Amino acid sequence: MTERDHRPEPAAEDSDSWTEWDVPAERWLLSGYCRDQRERTVLLELAARIVFPTVIVFSLYLLFAGHDHPGGGFSGGLVAGQAFVLRHLAGGRLDDSSTLSMRPPVLIGVGLTIAVLTGFAPLLFGEVVLESDIYKFTLPVLGQIKLVTNLFLDIGVYLLLLGVVLDLLRTLGSGIEANAAAARREQS
Amino acid sequence: MTTVNLTMAIVLGGLYSAGFYLLMQRSLMRILLGIVIIGHGANLMLQLAGGPPGRPAMVGEAAPENMADPFPQAMALTAIVITFALTTFLLALAYRSWVLLGHDEVQDDVEDRRIRRMERRLAESEDDTESEATQ
Amino acid sequence: MTLLVALPILLPLAAAGLSLAFGRFADVQRVLGMVVLGVLIVDSAVLLYVADTFGPVVLQVGNWPAPFGITLVADRLAVLLLLVSSVVTFAVLLYSIGQRITDYGRGASSTTFHPIYLVLCAGVSLAYLSGDLFNLFVAFEIMLSSSYVLINRRATATRIRAGMTYTIVSLTSSLLFITVIALVYAATGTVNLADLAQRVAELPDGLQTALGLIVLIVFGVKSAMVPLHFWLPDSYPNAPAPITAVFAGLLTKVGIYAMIRTQTLVFAHNESWRLMLAIALITMIVGALGALAQNDINRMLSFLLVSHIGYMLFGLGVYDTAGLTGVILYVIHHITVQATLFLVSGLITRHTGTVALSRMGGLAKASPLIAVLFALPALSLAGIPPFSGFVAKLALLQAGVEAGTWSAYAVTGGAVLTSLLTLYAMARIWTRVFWGRVRKPEADPDPEDELVVGTGTTARAMVISTGLLVTVSVAIAVAAGPLAEISGRAAADLMRHETYSTVVLGGDP
């Protein structure tokens, strides 16, 4: 029995249209199908749904603010990870709406590669490994932009951290839950 | 040379002794807690190494000579991250041990026990190992 | 030029990232790992030439000046060890691929082995090259956390038990390391080694000794010096052979390297160091006697590893140029030979299906190749003349005799005795494993896991990589003259560290 079997049957085609008119266009509960009812808190699921984008945006703010304000790739990545942790707490392992199409190890690998290659980049301009530079320029709408080149290193770190948190959720969260569920099934 | 105030010294002493006490237990969970506590102690010590607390940390809030030393903070941050990662690893290890063995106790070395048994046997009959060797 | 210093650290890290990203393509991972470690050998060879001819190469990472930023220093000692280590990591990776422990079970390939192994290599390089105490800590953590993963990988009940001991002990010593960094920083306000060399000398004597001793304990645990060695023979033998080989070859030696670096540069002594001599003597004897009691071939080799750590401590205890030359030669010799012996033990286990000496026999007839591959490093470890062990031991014994104090004489005697005991232990393995009645290979106790044992055959890549290391070990003996000269110059650098400080701090001695 796969986990997808828990999904409710799609609404029958011939259902009366008047029952559908006030059904929200979006799913508000996380995955649209139930885990064990006793473990479910609708409040948390709803809150997770609302808070998730906010947290991601905040993590992006931290990523870009990181040069001379509190923040940076590390804390940004952790905060973004927290958003996924919240989803995990709300939806558990059955919440497949939060899975990225990229597998966490690949995310870690890409992040690490970006970070290290950024370290090499200054050599192309005849500078020392991991040296960073500040560029200031003005864009039409956004106004003056201050670009610090170690932002790219931070982006790498951000991805790496996000990957690590997702991998932890996958192995220590969902993995253990799935093991426990399998053990319960064997017992019954 | 930086010195610590008495309260902090006592806190540090408490953290280290509690941590090392827990470290000497059999259960991996307690050992884990011990390591976490010693880790906190060590990181607190790193923080204190930078001088007394309470000075501004962010650029622009005060003249550079009145600001907190950022170096120990950077080191403590790195150390915290490392301790955090390894704590997670130990947790996973404890879980794995619990799955495989049904408990999370740190056990004695099996081979050590086997050698001790062999020694006892050797004392009982001198030629026992000889025959084992030529078998 | 400074790129050469950054490459040994950044290249394996980048490769680890790529290797993770290409986790589904086992061949890409293999080629990537081998190519990167091959480049590392070339890089460190060039670096050795540069550092030996023009003096230490210093990289101030990100162009931050010395006492504030991260400094990487490639002096003779660091680069010499880096070269040997990269040869060993290269050979061991080839062996691991040959033994297929890089896989996950018999069918699927694993995505994690290669990235973690490469991160381990990066950690080892960083430990050699780092120019400050905190970076050294980070390097140790990079190295050790990957080693935790490697030793607990594919965790069976026995491996978990062994891995737990290893992880907890290493973690405890790491926490002590943070503590001592905090203490050193509180006392001096810097963690840069070159800067510390000057600032620590200004501290009161008692404080210097206390800090020096805590640092000694930290690295003592990592390098398994008696009485802090207990975790090693318990945990190493339970990992697969190539992993044990790389741990035995590199991790303990990195501990020794850190000990040499800190005790010569930061906590310099004026004369021969009695405490260290005593520890060296105990380490040698306890390790050798422990080895004789064992029946498991890997445990026997692990105890011998502990015992031979004593030789390196001996040279450090003598504390003069001759002694340190001996240590450097010995570390170089021991990295290759100890790794080779564990690799051969892996070959033996694959052939016979067991690690118990009492259940093997007649391998010389069944597989003469393994016998040759074992005999050369075994004789070298015992210090028989034409091999690398002899050169290194001779240098150490000479230094011990020339030091001329009674404690140095005592340890010299102990070293000769340990040498004999090592030979005895090797002879024991030889008679049990290679002589006697030919036995049928035992059945594989766990047919599911990726470790194939008891086949009665050898795999080509495993033999080639072991052969490569044996050749390197012979080459070390052949090139003993030039090698001893470089080691002598490296030791002289260690004894008068003004050069190091000047180069790192930028002409302000």
Side-chain angles (χ1 to χ4, degrees), chain C residues 62-97:
Chain C
N63 230 353
W64 291 89
F68 309 110
I70 295 172
T71 313
L72 299 179
V73 189
D75 66 344
R76 290 194 181 99
L77 172 65
V79 182
L80 208 52
L81 297 186
L82 188 65
L83 177 60
V84 186
S85 302
S86 46
V87 172
V88 170
T89 45
F90 179 81
V92 169
L93 184 62
L94 180 61
Y95 186 99
S96 314
I97 293 172

Side-chain angles (χ1 to χ4, degrees), chain C residues 92-106:
Chain C
V92 169
L93 184 62
L94 180 61
Y95 186 99
S96 314
I97 293 172
Q99 201 183 11
R100 302 186 64 81
I101 66 147
T102 53
D103 293 350
Y104 191 80
R106 297 252 161 117

Side-chain angles (χ1 to χ4, degrees), chain B residues 1-2 16 23 28 45 49 69 71-72 75 82 86 89-90 96-97 100-101 108-109 111-112 115 135, chain C residues 68 134 141 148 152 155 157 160-161 164 168 171-172 175 178-179 182 185-187 191 234 294 296 299 439:
Chain B
M1 204 183 294
T2 319
Y16 271 88
L23 207 58
L28 192 59
M45 191 120 119
D69 187 353
F71 205 64
M75 292 198 288
I82 290 172
L86 294 176
F89 181 76
L90 266 185
R96 182 79 189 155
S97 158
L100 283 173
L101 309 167
D108 285 335
D109 192 353
E111 187 74 16
D112 267 352
I115 288 169
Q135 255 169 27
Chain C
F68 309 110
F134 191 74
E141 286 318 299
Y148 303 149
N152 287 306
I160 278 277
R161 193 198 55 70
M164 244 187 236
I168 295 166
L171 258 178
T172 313
L175 291 175
I178 305 183
T179 311
Y185 189 84
V191 287
D234 193 3
Q294 305 302 319
D296 177 333
R299 280 176 66 94
R439 295 195 185 201

